[in-house]
Amino acid sequence: MTSNFLEIKGLHKRFGNIAALNNVSLNVSKGEVIFVIGPSGCGKSTLLRAVNWLTPPDKGEVWLEGELVGSSSSKLTIKQSQLLNGFRARMGMVFQQFNVWPHLNVLENVVRAQLVVAKRKRADAESTALKILDQVGLQNKIDEWPDHLSGGQKQRLAIARALAMDPTLMLLDEPTSALDPELIGEVLTVLKRLVNNGMTMLIVTHELGFASEFGDRLLFMDGGEVIEEGPPKKILTMPKTKRLKMFLEKLDVTSFKKEEKL
Amino acid sequence: MKFDISYTLEAFPRLLEGAFITLQVAILGFTLSVLLATTITVARTSLNSKIFNSILAFYISFIRGTPILVQIFLVYYVLPVFGLNLGPFTAGIVAITLNSAAFVTEILRGGLASVPVGQFEAAKSLGISGYALWRKIILPQTFITSIPPLVNEFTMVLKATALLSLITVVELMRVSQQIYSANYHPVEVLSGAFVIYFLMCFVVSRSSVFLENRFKVKRA
Ligand SMILES: Nc1ncnc2c1ncn2[C@@H]1O[C@H](COP(=O)(O)OP(=O)(O)OP(=O)(O)O)[C@@H](O)[C@H]1O
Ligand SMILES: [Mg+2]
C-alpha cells in the first residue's frame, strides 16, 4: 500500500499552444519528500495545482491513498465537488504569494476552514489553531491582522492554516521565493520540522541546498516533462542531461557546492 | 415676503413623519438593491456565461442611460398594464431597487476585482467552495473595500426618494408639498425639508468613516 500513497498518472495540460504538462507520472510513498526544480514556465506550478485539481488536467488521473481524486476536467457533479473538497482538505497547499486572508485575524485564518470544511466545533478549532500557531512560532500574534505581519510570518501563517486540516500531504509552490533573504530561514525551519515529523511533501523550490539536504527525491522538469529524477545529491552533482546541466549552471550552484564540501 | 420661522416649526412634526417614510423607503430599497447586486455579482462570476453577461450589460446601460424619474413612472404606470398592480409605496421601492442595483453591481465589480485570485485559490485548496467560499472569504473582502462607494450610493438613494413624491408616496417631499399648498408658505416649509434631508445625508456620509474603522480595513 505504501508505494501508492499518491499516484499521478499521465497528466496532460495545455494552455493554448503551450504544453504545461506533457504526460507526467509520479508515484509518491508515504513520508516521502520530493522536490521539483526547473526553469520558469516548465510546468512546476501546474503539476502541483493538478494534484489537488485546482487546475484540472486535460488528461490523466490522481489517486490519493487508493482513492481517485479526479480523472477528467468535465464539469463536476455536486457530489464530486463535495468529494473533491474532502481531498483538498487532505492536501495542504502553500503558495508563493501566501494568500492569507486579510479580513480575518491570525487565529481566524487558521480556524475558518476547520469550521466550514471539517465541521469542528469552534472551541476545538481554536485549540487546534493555537497548538499549530505555537508550532510555527506565531503564538504571540494570534490577534494580529495579516497585513501587519512580515512576509515570513505570513507564510508561516499560511502553513499553519493548511496544517490545521490535518493534511496527509503538503503541496508547496515556491514557499520562500517571495521572501527577503533574511526571512527565508524562519520558513525553512518550519518546513524542516515537517520533514522530521514525516510529512509527505511535494515542494517546488529554488533552494537547492535545502532540497539536497532534506529531499528523498528530486525531479527536474522542462517543457512540461520530468527530464531527470533521483536522489537530490546525485541529480545535482551528476546531471545526465544537457538541459539540467545548463539549468544548474544558470542557477548559481557554486553556493550549493560549497555547502556540500563543508 | 418675510421669512416666518413659525411656519417651519409648525410644519416640523409632520415633516419628521415624512422623513421617517423617506428613511424606510431608502433603507428598504437600498437593502434589496444590495441583495440583488450581490446575487448578480456572484452569479456573473460563477456562471461566467456570455448570455447572462450581455443581459446584465444591457440592464446596467439601460438604468444608467435613462432618467430615474422615467424609471419610476415606468414601474408605476406601465406595470399595471401587465396586471401588476403595485401601490405607490411598493412601486417606489421596486423602482429604487432596480435603479440602485445597477450602480451597486458596478461598485461590487470594482470591489471584487481588488480581491486577488489567490484568495479564491487558498480557500479552494482547503476545501472551501460554493456558498461558504463567497460568504466567508470573498464577499467580506469585497464589501470592506466597497464601503465608501456604497455609503455614497446610499446617500444617492436617500435623495432620489424625493422623486417618489411624484407618484404620491407620502414621504418628506410629498408632505412638504401638502403643507405648503395649504398654508402658501413654500419657502418656510421647504427650508425645513432641506435641513432634514441635509442632516440625514450628513449622518450617513459620516458613517463611512465609522464603518471602515468598525470593519478594520487594516492596510499597512
Ligand atoms: N492559467 C493559465 N493560462 C494560460 N497559460 C498558463 C496558465 N497557467 C500556466 N500557464 C502556462 O503554462 C506554462 C507552465 O506554467 P507554470 O506556472 O506551471 O510554470 P512554472 O514552472 O511554475 O513557472 P515559474 O517558475 O515561473 O513559477 C507556462 O508557459 C505558463 O505561461
Ligand atoms: Mg510556478
Side-chain angles (χ1 to χ4, degrees):
Chain A
M1 264 317 274
T2 50
S3 68
N4 50 13
F5 173 77
L6 175 72
E7 270 184 64
I8 297 167
K9 291 184 184 172
L11 292 184
H12 289 260
K13 181 70 191 179
R14 298 190 75 85
F15 292 105
N17 282 329
I18 302 159
L21 293 178
N22 187 11
N23 197 22
V24 175
S25 297
L26 181 66
N27 279 332
V28 182
S29 315
K30 186 149 184 56
E32 207 177 359
V33 176
I34 298 183
F35 282 89
V36 182
I37 60 169
S40 178
C42 72
K44 307 179 294 291
S45 298
T46 308
L47 173 61
L48 255 57
R49 297 162 57 89
V51 171
N52 68 358
W53 233 247
L54 221 47
T55 299
D58 301 329
K59 226 166 87 185
E61 294 176 353
V62 174
W63 294 74
L64 181 67
E65 297 178 283
E67 294 172 88
L68 187 60
V69 173
S71 66
S72 90
S73 62
S74 61
K75 258 226 176 297
L76 300 174
T77 64
I78 291 172
K79 177 96 173 96
Q80 279 171 320
S81 51
Q82 276 170 355
L83 285 174
L84 184 56
N85 284 341
F87 282 117
R88 282 177 174 163
R90 284 156 64 189
M91 302 188 269
M93 186 170 236
V94 173
F95 302 84
Q96 183 177 350
Q97 296 302 334
F98 328 130
N99 298 340
V100 290
W101 297 316
H103 65 300
L104 302 174
N105 69 19
V106 166
L107 185 67
E108 277 306 307
N109 259 276
V110 185
V111 162
R112 191 49 56 100
Q114 295 188 64
L115 302 179
V116 173
V117 182
K119 309 280 182 211
R120 292 182 190 146
K121 290 203 195 78
R122 173 161 280 277
D124 297 340
E126 282 185 3
S127 74
T128 304
L130 289 173
K131 205 162 46 190
I132 292 168
L133 285 170
D134 193 55
Q135 287 166 13
V136 302
L138 290 176
Q139 64 278 14
N140 299 325
K141 298 280 177 191
I142 54 173
D143 293 324
E144 196 56 87
W145 295 96
D147 286 343
H148 292 175
L149 299 178
S150 71
Q153 290 167 335
K154 281 184 197 167
Q155 194 60 300
R156 285 184 280 144
L157 173 58
I159 294 169
R161 179 175 65 177
L163 290 177
M165 304 303 286
D166 297 324
T168 55
L169 167 72
M170 289 287 282
L171 306 166
L172 300 108
D173 191 359
E174 305 199 34
T176 58
S177 295
L179 297 175
D180 293 337
E182 72 270 21
L183 301 177
I184 292 176
E186 62 191 60
V187 171
L188 291 186
T189 306
V190 169
L191 296 183
K192 286 170 190 169
R193 171 110 42 84
L194 285 180
V195 174
N196 292 333
N197 289 347
M199 178 63 81
T200 314
M201 300 206 271
L202 224 53
I203 310 176
V204 175
T205 190
H206 297 299
E207 298 287 322
L208 298 183
F210 179 53
S212 89
E213 190 179 348
F214 288 92
D216 296 311
R217 226 187 322 164
L218 188 87
L219 308 186
F220 169 66
M221 289 181 69
D222 198 4
E225 297 175 33
V226 177
I227 306 293
E228 285 195 42
E229 113 174 58
K233 290 199 173 88
K234 196 174 147 206
I235 298 273
L236 291 174
T237 48
M238 292 180 283
K240 281 189 287 222
T241 58
K242 206 168 150 220
R243 281 200 264 185
L244 178 54
K245 268 180 211 149
M246 277 169 54
F247 174 73
L248 292 176
E249 271 163 27
K250 262 191 229 152
L251 270 185
D252 187 17
V253 285
T254 47
S255 61
F256 160 71
K257 284 184 175 151
K258 257 182 243 150
E259 264 178 57
E260 274 297 277
K261 279 178 194 139
L262 288 174
Chain B
M1 269 269 281
K2 252 182 41 193
F3 187 95
D4 186 348
I5 197 153
S6 67
Y7 287 104
T8 313
L9 296 176
E10 192 185 72
F12 223 74
R14 281 186 65 196
L15 291 181
L16 283 181
E17 280 170 36
F20 184 65
I21 302 295
T22 292
L23 274 181
Q24 272 186 333
V25 174
I27 290 171
L28 213 62
F30 186 68
T31 307
L32 292 173
S33 131
V34 169
L35 288 176
L36 178 60
T38 305
T39 312
I40 290 173
T41 303
V42 173
R44 169 165 60 194
T45 313
S46 13
L47 293 179
N48 198 14
S49 125
K50 278 213 176 78
I51 300 168
F52 184 86
N53 289 352
S54 23
I55 294 173
L56 186 61
F58 181 76
Y59 160 65
I60 290 175
S61 59
F62 170 78
I63 294 289
R64 296 218 290 196
T66 57
I68 180 166
L69 189 56
V70 178
Q71 296 162 18
I72 291 168
F73 274 41
L74 205 64
V75 172
Y76 186 57
Y77 288 116
V78 173
L79 288 186
V81 175
F82 300 99
L84 271 168
N85 242 322
L86 314 169
F89 187 83
T90 315
I93 289 190
V94 169
I96 293 278
T97 300
L98 290 178
N99 176 273
S100 174
F103 294 94
V104 176
T105 301
E106 289 292 274
I107 291 170
L108 294 183
R109 186 172 63 138
L112 183 60
S114 76
V115 180
V117 50
Q119 294 289 313
F120 285 84
E121 295 185 338
K124 287 184 187 169
S125 77
L126 289 156
I128 302 175
S129 71
Y131 179 77
L133 171 63
W134 286 98
R135 172 72 188 75
K136 303 285 184 184
I137 307 298
I138 304 303
L139 288 177
Q141 297 186 51
T142 307
F143 276 99
I144 288 172
T145 50
S146 305
I147 287 174
L150 283 175
V151 169
N152 181 57
E153 173 59 18
F154 183 65
T155 63
M156 302 300 275
V157 166
L158 199 57
K159 288 181 283 184
T161 57
L163 294 169
L164 298 182
S165 61
L166 293 163
I167 58 166
T168 74
V169 176
V170 190
E171 41 63 71
L172 180 52
M173 188 62 201
R174 182 82 181 176
V175 170
S176 315
Q177 288 167 345
Q178 286 172 347
I179 299 173
Y180 70 69
S181 59
N183 70 6
Y184 302 104
H185 281 273
V187 176
E188 287 85 346
V189 177
L190 285 174
S191 300
F194 181 90
V195 169
I196 296 175
Y197 274 121
F198 175 75
L199 287 178
M200 290 194 294
C201 286
F202 183 76
V203 169
V204 169
S205 41
R206 297 301 301 190
S207 73
S208 182
V209 179
F210 168 79
L211 284 172
E212 278 179 272
N213 288 334
R214 166 76 181 71
F215 289 104
K216 307 205 175 74
V217 199
K218 307 247 172 175
R219 303 285 150 183

